[in-house]
Amino acid sequence: MEIREQDNCRIMFDPALLAEDPWRCFEPDFWQHQQAVLGSAKGRGTTWFVRGERVDMALRHYFRGGLFGKLVKDQYWFKTWSACRSMAEFSLLQHLVERGVRVPRPVAARVCKSGPYYRADLLTEKVPDATDLVARLQQGALSSEQWQLVGEMVRRMHDCRVNHTDLNAHNILLDSQEQIWLIDFDKCSIQRGDGWQEDNLSRLHRSLVKEVDKAGIHWQESDWQQLLSGYRRSSSD
């Protein structure tokens, strides 16, 4: 991993994954000029999917949500470099990758200071040919074995002591090989103690119940029991 600083900005990147200029790769215009934009997705901001020389990537700028986000769009209070949101998410993803949890590999993170505030960006490897769990369940039901694999991956994350504070059905992906991926680790952290694991599971359960009415997904309570079976089985492996 390399770290560079310039004009109140710090970047951290993996040179094995990023062949492009790390100072330019956080700007959508750079990728547009290279004709390397694969697509985009709208959320709190726009996530750009780009084709790099070594890997395809997702580029995200950090935006605030909620009422406060209407007043202060993308600035955060600076404490330390490592505590900045893109740097923290980069390090957490690296922690999970090294321990065999299937998450996007972190490619590069940027933090730019302006007085007591900062703005942040993150590049991660794009999960190839992946569909989020909601879209997948709109097409049809998962098998018992697939639900157990979801539970196993969540348990593997928990065994790394990672508290995913926004674990919902949109943050679980299935790729073309039916492998399970976990995404979106902004504001997540390594957590000690107990209790937060059940909170993660409860949040995921609520999101599945909600999507039955909202998105018409093929899901029932027996599927949840299969997920829990895989979660508990993984703990005894």
Side-chain angles (χ1 to χ4, degrees):
M1 225 51 60
E2 289 191 26
I3 296 176
R4 297 181 187 176
E5 291 189 36
Q6 175 181 299
D7 299 330
N8 288 322
C9 288
R10 175 179 285 195
I11 58 174
M12 178 164 58
F13 66 98
D14 185 345
L17 299 178
L18 186 68
E20 291 76 15
D21 182 349
W23 289 109
R24 301 183 63 196
C25 67
F26 296 101
E27 305 302 331
D29 285 351
F30 168 75
W31 298 103
Q32 290 168 345
H33 290 153
Q34 304 293 318
Q35 297 185 331
V37 175
L38 301 173
S40 63
K42 292 283 189 180
R44 188 169 295 170
T46 299
T47 297
W48 297 93
F49 301 110
V50 299
R51 172 159 290 138
E53 185 177 320
R54 294 178 180 154
V55 293
D56 293 345
M57 295 169 281
L59 170 61
R60 186 172 89 248
H61 183 72
Y62 286 75
F63 288 98
R64 286 187 176 276
L67 182 60
F68 191 65
K70 298 184 181 197
L71 303 173
V72 182
K73 183 172 69 170
D74 64 347
Q75 288 184 310
Y76 303 89
W77 187 260
F78 182 87
K79 295 179 182 177
T80 65
W81 291 108
S82 61
C84 294
R85 288 170 74 159
S86 60
M87 297 292 183
E89 187 169 354
F90 185 108
S91 297
L92 194 64
L93 288 171
Q94 189 177 32
H95 169 77
L96 290 166
V97 168
E98 289 172 352
R99 286 155 182 79
V101 183
R102 198 172 289 116
V103 299
R105 288 184 294 177
V107 178
R110 178 176 71 172
V111 172
C112 291
K113 284 185 63 181
S114 178
Y117 305 103
Y118 74 89
R119 293 181 172 89
D121 305 271
L122 182 69
L123 266 172
T124 56
E125 186 176 21
K126 182 180 181 291
V127 180
D129 302 320
T131 305
D132 76 45
L133 187 55
V134 172
R136 178 65 175 77
L137 290 173
Q138 286 177 320
Q139 300 170 7
L142 297 187
S143 67
S144 297
E145 291 75 17
Q146 287 171 312
W147 280 115
Q148 289 169 20
L149 290 174
V150 173
E152 288 178 9
M153 191 57 61
V154 173
R155 182 56 188 246
R156 193 177 299 179
M157 175 185 70
H158 282 173
D159 286 345
C160 295
R161 308 302 298 177
V162 171
N163 178 2
H164 196 312
T165 53
D166 192 23
L167 186 63
N168 63 63
H170 287 285
N171 288 334
I172 298 174
L173 307 183
L174 285 83
D175 66 18
S176 58
Q177 305 301 313
E178 298 289 296
Q179 296 182 114
I180 309 301
W181 296 75
L182 305 177
I183 64 168
D184 196 359
F185 286 84
D186 181 27
K187 296 189 290 186
C188 302
S189 62
I190 295 176
Q191 185 111 18
R192 304 304 172 190
D194 294 305
W196 54 269
Q197 297 95 333
E198 286 299 324
D199 290 341
N200 281 188
L201 291 169
S202 295
R203 186 179 185 87
L204 177 56
H205 181 263
R206 288 195 303 272
S207 79
L208 288 164
V209 172
K210 176 183 175 182
E211 296 295 345
V212 171
D213 292 328
K214 181 180 177 182
I217 65 172
H218 294 80
W219 180 85
Q220 52 191 350
E221 282 294 333
S222 59
D223 296 327
W224 182 251
Q225 296 307 314
Q226 292 300 323
L227 184 152
L228 291 180
S229 174
Y231 185 89
R232 292 166 182 148
R233 180 180 67 195
S234 181
S235 68
S236 61
D237 287 347

